[in-house]
Amino acid sequence: MKQENSSSKILYKKLIFRRVFFSLLCIILIIILMGTSLSLGSAQISFFETYMAILNRIFPGYFNVSNLADIVIWHLRLPRTIMAIIAGFIFAMTGCTIMAITRNPLATPYT
């Protein structure tokens, strides 16, 4: 009985580790893809200049960013990208809720 209990605890800890690892990986991937999305467009702004424009608002004076990059990133591209991320989160939560309400087997916590 004790051996069964300890092996189930180990399996549970592995499951929790995989879920946390997957969540952190998704967050990192969203941050990288957000920078890529912000750097694409008709104004030629590099990937690193995009992050410098964002960090310049958070830590003023540490990064030298052109006025064009600052305006394009903060007033045009960043609101659109943030709204797309929020819409994706809302669609994911809605889909999960619908699957749980209709008792779809894909919505079980064991999959």
Side-chain angles (χ1 to χ4, degrees):
M1 184 78 163
K2 280 193 168 198
Q3 187 180 24
E4 226 175 79
N5 195 10
S6 65
S7 67
S8 64
K9 284 183 181 181
I10 292 171
L11 288 174
Y12 181 72
K13 285 182 181 182
K14 285 182 180 180
L15 177 70
I16 294 300
F17 174 75
R18 281 189 292 173
R19 287 184 180 178
V20 169
F21 178 74
F22 181 73
S23 297
L24 290 175
L25 184 70
C26 285
I27 290 170
I28 291 169
L29 191 63
I30 285 175
I31 290 171
I32 291 170
L33 290 175
M34 186 177 88
T36 304
S37 171
L38 291 173
S39 66
L40 297 175
S42 60
Q44 298 297 323
I45 300 173
S46 71
F47 181 77
F48 297 108
E49 193 173 10
T50 300
Y51 280 114
M52 287 186 346
I54 293 170
L55 292 174
N56 188 38
R57 287 278 178 109
I58 298 171
F59 305 110
Y62 288 104
F63 299 98
N64 188 14
V65 181
S66 68
N67 193 24
L68 173 71
D70 191 48
I71 290 173
V72 168
I73 296 296
W74 280 97
H75 294 287
L76 299 175
R77 294 182 184 172
L78 193 63
R80 179 187 62 207
T81 303
I82 289 175
M83 288 304 293
I85 291 171
I86 291 172
F89 284 143
I90 290 172
F91 284 138
M93 288 187 296
T94 304
C96 185
T97 303
I98 288 173
M99 281 196 270
I101 289 172
T102 60
R103 297 184 187 199
N104 190 339
L106 292 176
T108 62
Y110 304 109
T111 58

